[in-house]
């Protein structure tokens, strides 16, 4: 019986092998068309074409190869320009490329480009092996398509009689045979990391790289070929170059930008996956709104100072941003090309799609990323002048009455990244972060690696402009550290990371974290929107923001991942276990499992026991004739935990413990100022656990003022003291 069973099994296995072999020998259906077929097209205008216009091109079907998506087939596009220059493009595709880049990325397994007689180059992702396609925009113009309004004959493997390509009309001249077996010989593979862009905004470096803390500017010198190579070796793979520097990076596996429309080869630049465009980012549209729209009006319009609200600021921002993404940086490339006499764009019209918004006011992220499906592609946090865990967390605790432990950088950066990740999830886009010179250097390395772990795709360093500058050697060190993180943890599921948050906390549009005074609280960074003002519901801005931060504290203490978003009209976040809506009337809506609960205030989490620091304030005078000089003395007594609060480094680069934050409100509700600057040395005298801190100021106008002094310990416990002052006429 055993022999008979074995015999039957052998017959069955043989039959199976025979069938498998027979099936393998069956002809495979070409995804594109019969291998070896080629069609030649010529421009419908025979004379008078500008030099860069393609006068003729051919499309040919090549060999069939297996890909991760199934069978793919090689397509070769060979174009000849009026000036005699040629370029070729090879695609290994599962079907004829559609007009959308997102769909093309799913269907194209390999992407090869050859300019003239230069070696053909294949662009692929170093970590995943996937093809890296051009990201400038205008993908629909880069592959010929039929002019038929219905189904493109290319999709069925045929050759249409009329096509449009690169904005111009073409007609079929002939169908021939062509030898297009596979990728061309002599291929140079360019290994890129499109999801880990690391770079600086300049094509220069500091002549003297010594750190400066006095606010002076650095002298810059142009980057050399050796500098670019050193940067690439360190992991800086997104380089700004001018036309003269471009040849120096040809053999580097990097992206580049900065060369404009007048200097690039057209249309070859549109096929170069490394070329990111003449511009790379929208520069602080929210901060620019504040500085170039709101502040100038505040300076000359007293009524506007009183009338300003977060909603008015939001409306001004919406108009400024509309202009920025519709008419600003995303249009620079085509404007530069259109100005050239040797370029005829035809009907090519697109905005540069790979730009990101480099922005300090991260609360605007959801709005900025949601206004257009493509532009901008990402949001990158730009640190203001004074950011760091030990600087900002004490201010948040003193300002909003939350209790965030100061010894954990996640408690700080999680707030900023919460806005960015939330916006990326809402829109299906990406986000990133940057390091500036005034960022606490103890935080900088972890800020980058943590952002990478959370799914960030863009990492930049500012390399000029006084205290904002990160010296060249530090840029290299930060990039090398990030590169090690990428090498150790190369596989990231960006879609999964985008959806990591369980809770989303919604803030009314127009409310934000300020700007340079991040942590201190004035909305939009202007005193006219100080936290003691009342909103349209009769609630202080401070109370609205306190609810927001206490809900954040709750998530941090529970270890729950959270996103942060403006509560934009018509946009409803989905997929969260819990939605927390902070309202302008001081109430908080909590929506979970389809059930909604309205609370009178935010849910205060369980906090560790312990006493906050003691704080008392004495004044040299609490009334007098204006102008009135005041000396205020705060006495701080440390109790359960030490007190630490710093304004930033002094001129020697040392972080001094200021102990107390001083603010002055009045005489009118729109009047507000901070009484310390980052450069000022605190006047503090310690006697054991008691510290006396002194500040001096002058009241120039008559009226009623209120002095606010606050302090906080390292566990986040805070104490606040208010002192009324009257200045008489």
């Amino acid at each position: 019986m055993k022999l008979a069973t074995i015999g039957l099994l052998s017959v069955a296995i043989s039959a199976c092998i025979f069938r498998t072999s027979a099936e393998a020998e069956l002809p495979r259906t070409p995804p594109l068309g019969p291998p070896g077929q080629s069609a030649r097209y010529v421009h419908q205008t025979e004379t008078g074409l500008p030099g860069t216009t393609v006068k003729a091109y051919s499309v040919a079907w090549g060999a069939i190869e297996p890909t991760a998506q199934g069978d793919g087939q090689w397509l070769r596009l060979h174009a000849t320009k009026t000036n005699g220059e040629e370029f070729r493009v090879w695609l290994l595709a599962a079907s004829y490329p559609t007009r959308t880049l997102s769909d093309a990325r799913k269907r194209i397994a390999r992407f090869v480009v050859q300019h003239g007689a230069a070696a053909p180059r294949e662009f692929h992702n170093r970590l995943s092996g996937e093809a890296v396609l051009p990201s400038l925009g205008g993908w629909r113009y880069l592959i010929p398509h039929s002019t038929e309004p219905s189904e493109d004959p290319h999709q069925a493997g045929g050759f249409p009689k009329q096509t449009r390509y690169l904005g111009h009309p073409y007609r079929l001249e002939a169908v021939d045979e062509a030898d297009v077996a596979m990728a061309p010989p002599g291929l140079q593979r360019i290994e890129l990391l499109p999801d880990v862009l690391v770079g600086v905004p300049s094509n220069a470096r500091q002549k003297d790289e010594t750190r400066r803390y006095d606010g002076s500017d650095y002298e810059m010198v142009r980057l050399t070929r050796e500098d670019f190579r050193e940067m690439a070796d360190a992991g800086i793979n997104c380089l700004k170059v001018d036309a003269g520097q471009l040849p120096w990076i040809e053999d580097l596996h990097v992206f580049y930008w900065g060369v404009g429309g007048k200097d690039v080869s057209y249309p070859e630049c549109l096929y170069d996956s490394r070329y990111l465009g003449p511009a790379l980012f929208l520069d602080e549209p929210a901060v620019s709104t504040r500085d170039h729209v709101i502040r100038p009006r505040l300076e000359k319009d007293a009524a506007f100072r009183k009338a300003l609200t977060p909603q008015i600021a939001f409306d001004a921002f919406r108009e400024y941003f509309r202009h920025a993404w519709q008419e600003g940086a995303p249009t620079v490339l085509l404007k530069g090309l259109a100005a050239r006499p040797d370029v005829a764009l035809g009907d090519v019209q697109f905005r540069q799609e790979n730009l990101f918004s480099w922005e300090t006011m991260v609360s605007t992220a959801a709005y900025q990323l949601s206004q257009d499906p493509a532009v901008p592609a990402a949001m990158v946090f730009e640190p203001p002048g004074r950011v760091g865990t030990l600087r900002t967390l004490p201010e948040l605790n003193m300002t909003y009455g939350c209790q965030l432990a100061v010894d954990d950088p996640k408690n700080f950066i999680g707030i900023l990244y919460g806005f960015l990740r939330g916006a990326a999830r809402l829109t299906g886009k990406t986000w990133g972060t940057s390091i500036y010179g005034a960022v606490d250097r103890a935080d900088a390395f972890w800020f980058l690696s943590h952002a990478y772990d959370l799914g960030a795709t863009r990492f930049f360093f500012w390399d000029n402009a006084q205290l904002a500058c990160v010296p060249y050697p530090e840029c290299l060190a930060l990039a090398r550290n990030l590169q090690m993180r990428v090498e150790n943890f190369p596989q990231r599921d960006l879609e999964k990371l985008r959806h990591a948050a369980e809770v989303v906390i919604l803030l009314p549009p127009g409310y934000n974290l300020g700007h340079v005074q991040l942590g201190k609280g004035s909305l939009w960074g202007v005193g006219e929107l100080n936290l003691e003002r009342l909103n349209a519901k009769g609630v202080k801005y401070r109370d609205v923001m306190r609810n927001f931060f206490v809900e954040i504290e709750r998530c941090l203490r529970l270890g729950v991942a959270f996103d942060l978003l403006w509560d934009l009209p018509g946009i409803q976040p989905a997929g969260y276990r819990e939605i927390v809506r902070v309202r302008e009337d001081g109430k908080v809506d909590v929506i979970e499992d389809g059930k909604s609960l309205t609370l009178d205030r935010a849910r205060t989490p369980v906090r560790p026991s312990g006493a906050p620091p003691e704080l008392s304030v004495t004044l040299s005078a609490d009334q007098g004739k204006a102008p009135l000089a005041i000396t205020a003395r705060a006495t701080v007594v440390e109790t359960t935990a030490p007190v630490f609060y710093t304004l930033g480094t002094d001129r020697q680069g040392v972080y001094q413990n200021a102990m107390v934050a001083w603010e002055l409100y009045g005489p009118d509700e729109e009047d507000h100022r901070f009484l310390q600057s980052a450069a000022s040395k605190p006047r503090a005298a310690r006697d054991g656990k008691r510290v006396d801190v002194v500040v001096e100021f002058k009241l120039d106008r008559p009226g009623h003022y209120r002095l606010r002094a606050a302090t906080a310990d390292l566990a986040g416990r805070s104490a606040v003291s208010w002192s009324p002052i009257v200045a008489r006429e």
Side-chain angles (χ1 to χ4, degrees):
M1 288 291 294
K2 290 183 179 179
L3 290 175
T5 302
I6 293 173
L8 290 172
L9 286 173
S10 298
V11 172
I13 292 172
S14 298
C16 182
I17 293 173
F18 176 79
R19 285 197 301 271
T20 303
S21 301
E23 289 169 359
E25 293 173 0
L26 291 175
R28 296 147 79 179
T29 302
L32 300 176
Q37 265 200 350
S38 173
R40 173 178 168 81
Y41 289 84
V42 294
H43 201 291
Q44 290 190 5
T45 300
E46 298 180 358
T47 61
L49 295 173
T52 64
T53 303
V54 171
K55 68 176 183 180
Y57 74 86
S58 63
V59 174
W61 312 136
I64 301 172
E65 289 187 14
T67 72
Q69 295 78 30
D71 278 348
Q73 187 175 8
W74 284 100
L75 177 158
R76 186 191 68 191
L77 173 63
H78 181 185
T80 303
K81 302 195 294 187
T82 303
N83 59 15
E85 296 175 351
E86 300 180 7
F87 63 90
R88 299 169 183 83
V89 180
W90 288 263
L91 309 173
L92 179 59
S95 64
Y96 194 81
T98 64
R99 289 173 168 82
T100 66
L101 180 59
S102 59
D103 189 63
R105 285 173 172 153
K106 299 174 185 176
R107 298 171 183 266
I108 296 175
R110 296 179 65 181
F111 181 70
V112 181
V113 176
Q114 182 182 28
H115 297 170
R121 292 181 167 184
E122 178 175 5
F123 304 109
H124 79 119
N125 188 312
R126 178 164 65 84
L127 296 180
S128 69
E130 297 173 340
V132 177
L133 302 183
S135 61
L136 273 171
W139 172 262
R140 63 186 180 274
Y141 302 109
L142 302 189
I143 306 296
H145 290 283
S146 171
T147 57
E148 295 292 330
S150 57
E151 181 183 358
D152 194 328
H154 286 116
Q155 303 290 347
F159 296 114
K161 291 183 172 55
Q162 308 285 339
T163 65
R164 289 200 74 83
Y165 173 50
L166 290 169
H168 291 266
Y170 294 85
R171 58 180 173 80
L172 180 65
E173 184 179 64
V175 176
D176 304 307
E177 298 294 320
D179 182 14
V180 190
M182 55 186 68
L187 195 63
Q188 179 185 1
R189 290 172 66 85
I190 303 297
E191 298 182 341
L192 300 171
L193 290 179
D195 293 329
V196 190
L197 290 180
V198 185
V200 292
S202 302
N203 60 341
R205 57 183 284 185
Q206 310 83 29
K207 184 175 181 180
D208 178 359
E209 297 155 351
T210 305
R211 268 272 182 170
R212 299 182 183 183
Y213 297 95
D214 60 358
S216 62
D217 241 324
Y218 294 81
E219 181 182 353
M220 305 294 286
V221 294
R222 193 163 175 262
L223 290 169
T224 65
R225 183 193 299 266
E226 291 72 26
D227 292 333
F228 285 126
R229 188 170 299 279
E230 183 178 40
M231 294 167 74
D233 289 343
I236 297 177
N237 64 358
C238 184
L239 302 175
K240 182 179 182 181
V241 299
D242 58 33
Q245 293 167 321
L246 183 56
W248 300 348
I249 67 164
E250 282 300 308
D251 61 338
L252 300 180
H253 298 248
V254 296
F255 296 94
Y256 69 93
W257 64 284
V259 184
K262 70 182 183 66
D263 293 316
V264 292
S265 297
Y266 181 80
E268 292 91 330
C269 66
L270 303 182
Y271 292 93
D272 188 346
S273 297
R274 302 171 307 148
Y275 179 50
L276 300 183
L280 193 63
F281 53 89
L282 306 179
D283 192 11
E284 295 189 286
V287 175
S288 296
T289 302
R290 190 270 314 276
D291 291 345
H292 304 304
V293 178
I294 296 174
R295 273 184 171 164
R297 189 174 174 188
L298 289 172
E299 291 174 1
K300 62 184 180 182
D301 189 344
F304 183 63
R305 293 190 69 219
K306 293 183 178 296
L308 183 63
T309 64
Q311 290 77 15
I312 291 175
F314 176 41
D315 289 341
F317 164 67
R318 289 195 298 180
E319 177 57 27
Y320 188 98
F321 181 71
R322 183 202 62 77
H323 182 272
W325 72 264
Q326 290 189 1
E327 304 174 40
T331 67
V332 170
L333 176 61
L334 286 195
K335 287 178 180 177
L337 291 170
R340 288 170 49 173
D342 65 334
V343 172
L345 292 174
D347 64 9
V348 170
Q349 285 292 331
F350 66 88
R351 297 184 184 91
Q352 186 179 329
E353 295 179 0
N354 54 14
L355 291 153
F356 60 85
S357 182
W358 206 334
E359 180 64 81
T360 297
M361 297 189 187
V362 291
S363 58
T364 65
Y367 183 84
Q368 293 198 40
L369 295 189
S370 65
Q371 296 311 292
D372 182 84
V375 184
M379 179 90 161
V380 172
F381 170 57
E382 176 184 331
R386 38 176 314 284
V387 161
T389 300
L390 287 175
R391 278 179 274 174
T392 311
L393 281 179
E395 284 183 345
L396 293 175
N397 292 323
M398 290 186 285
T399 300
Y400 300 113
C402 51
Q403 190 171 320
L404 304 173
V406 179
D407 63 350
D408 189 348
K410 184 179 180 181
N411 288 345
F412 166 56
I413 205 65
I415 297 169
L416 303 174
Y417 292 172
F419 277 112
L420 298 169
R421 182 177 60 184
R425 173 172 174 168
L426 188 70
T427 60
K429 296 183 179 181
T430 60
W431 63 278
T433 191
S434 62
I435 300 298
Y436 274 49
V439 172
D440 191 329
R441 293 161 73 184
D443 286 334
F445 290 89
W446 188 81
F447 282 178
L448 293 172
S449 60
H450 185 56
Y452 176 80
D453 293 344
L454 294 180
T457 63
R458 288 160 171 81
F459 309 84
F460 288 88
F461 319 116
W462 198 259
D463 59 1
N464 57 76
Q466 303 172 7
L467 293 175
C469 174
V470 180
Y472 177 78
E474 293 184 34
C475 292
L476 296 179
L478 289 162
R480 290 187 182 108
N481 179 73
L482 179 61
Q483 185 173 227
M484 286 189 291
R485 191 67 176 180
V486 174
E487 291 172 355
N488 290 334
F489 298 90
Q491 302 302 322
R492 296 187 300 168
D493 186 336
L494 294 180
E495 185 65 17
K496 184 176 180 180
L497 290 172
R498 263 196 296 262
H499 288 76
E502 297 181 43
V503 176
V504 62
I505 305 173
L506 304 178
L507 186 66
Y511 286 71
N512 60 30
L513 313 183
H515 176 224
V516 174
Q517 306 297 347
L518 175 64
K520 291 185 177 181
S522 289
L523 307 184
W524 293 86
V526 295
E528 287 77 4
L529 290 178
N530 66 76
L531 296 179
E532 289 298 295
R533 294 197 71 171
L534 302 180
N535 64 21
K537 302 291 185 180
V539 177
K540 288 182 180 181
Y541 298 145
R542 188 187 307 275
D543 293 335
V544 176
M545 296 300 294
R546 178 186 291 117
N547 284 336
F548 182 66
F549 277 99
V550 170
E551 286 291 338
I552 290 173
E553 179 194 349
R554 178 177 180 272
C555 288
L556 288 169
R557 290 194 179 278
L558 291 174
V560 173
F562 59 90
D563 287 340
L564 307 172
L565 294 170
W566 266 351
D567 193 7
L568 296 169
I571 300 179
Q572 182 65 32
Y576 294 94
R577 175 179 59 80
E578 182 177 85
I579 298 175
V580 180
R581 177 171 283 106
V582 174
R583 296 173 15 180
E584 278 203 287
D585 62 2
K587 298 184 183 297
V588 176
D589 292 336
V590 179
I591 304 170
E592 186 173 10
D593 296 330
K595 299 178 181 178
S596 180
L597 176 66
T598 299
L599 307 173
D600 289 334
R601 62 184 65 85
R603 297 164 292 180
T604 303
V606 176
R607 294 168 172 169
S609 59
E614 297 174 4
L615 174 65
S616 59
V617 175
T618 58
L619 305 176
S620 59
D622 60 8
Q623 58 181 310
K625 186 176 179 180
L628 178 62
I630 300 289
T631 298
R633 181 182 302 273
T635 299
V636 178
V637 179
E638 295 177 325
T639 55
T640 307
V643 168
F644 185 84
Y645 164 54
T646 182
L647 299 166
T649 60
D650 59 22
R651 290 180 177 266
Q652 287 72 47
V654 177
Y655 292 101
Q656 302 287 345
N657 189 353
M659 301 291 291
V660 175
W662 300 93
E663 298 173 78
L664 185 67
Y665 294 84
D668 296 321
E669 64 175 357
E670 66 271 18
D671 297 324
H672 170 254
R673 59 184 166 123
F674 300 106
L675 299 180
Q676 305 142 294
S677 67
S680 63
K681 277 199 173 184
R683 295 172 55 186
R686 178 179 286 274
D687 181 9
K689 291 192 173 184
R690 171 181 169 143
V691 183
D692 288 333
V693 183
V694 175
V695 68
E696 296 177 342
F697 56 95
K698 183 182 290 187
L699 309 180
D700 294 318
R701 296 162 52 203
H704 291 262
Y705 294 81
R706 292 190 301 155
L707 177 67
R708 187 181 193 267
T711 190
D713 65 19
L714 293 179
R717 308 178 191 93
S718 60
V720 178
S721 174
W722 288 93
S723 302
I725 308 172
V726 178
R728 300 190 302 272
E729 292 188 13

